[in-house]
């Protein structure tokens, strides 16, 4: 399979725990490369646009509040089968149900504060990447 790109966010709870390095190490140990990265505090408007598919869900307001509560690390990861590989490395949404050694098992606090986000499909990855990165900010290696 050809090299693929996916989108990842290290969420505020993981950034505040100072575990950006160990999380990136998990990606790199599994043959994913960081092709772009930026540390930002998301605006409410940008966060609402990003999570628009959840707008009608009861947890939407809480999700936006959490994701705008502190810095996040936005990343483009590249590698073979990057979307699926990233999902496997992250683990289940609920850290209590995530497999041992996955990012969410190691660093997640709850379903809502589960340390990382990763695109669920190639289509989502393309949309999410274009929302946060210009093409010239992404290194193709």
């Amino acid at each position: 399979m050809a090299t693929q790109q996916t989108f990842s966010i290290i969420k505020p709870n993981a950034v505040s725990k100072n575990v950006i390095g160990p999380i990136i190490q998990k990606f790199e140990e599994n043959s994913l490369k960081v092709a772009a990265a930026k540390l930002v505090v998301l605006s409410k408007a940008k966060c609402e646009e990003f999570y628009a598919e959840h707008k009608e869900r009861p947890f939407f307001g809480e999700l936006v509040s959490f994701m705008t509560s502190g810095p996040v690390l936005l990343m483009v990861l590249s590698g073979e089968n990057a979307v699926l590989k990233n999902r496997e490395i992250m683990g289940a949404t609920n850290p209590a149900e995530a497999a041992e050694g996955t990012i969410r098992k190691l660093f997640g606090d709850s379903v809502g504060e589960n340390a990382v986000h990763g695109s669920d499909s190639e289509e989502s990855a393309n949309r999410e990447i274009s929302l946060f990165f210009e093409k010239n900010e992404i290194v193709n290696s």
Side-chain angles (χ1 to χ4, degrees), residues 121-138:
S121 67
E122 199 165 357
E123 295 73 30
S124 291
N126 291 335
R127 180 187 74 82
E128 293 170 354
I129 290 167
S130 68
L131 192 58
F132 294 105
F133 290 94
E134 300 294 325
K135 289 205 181 296
N136 68 349
E137 296 177 303
I138 303 169

Side-chain angles (χ1 to χ4, degrees), residues 75-96:
M75 292 183 292
V76 177
L77 302 174
S78 68
E80 232 174 86
N81 207 15
V83 173
L84 181 60
K85 189 175 287 188
N86 182 33
R87 308 262 327 146
E88 291 170 355
I89 297 164
M90 288 189 311
T93 302
N94 183 346

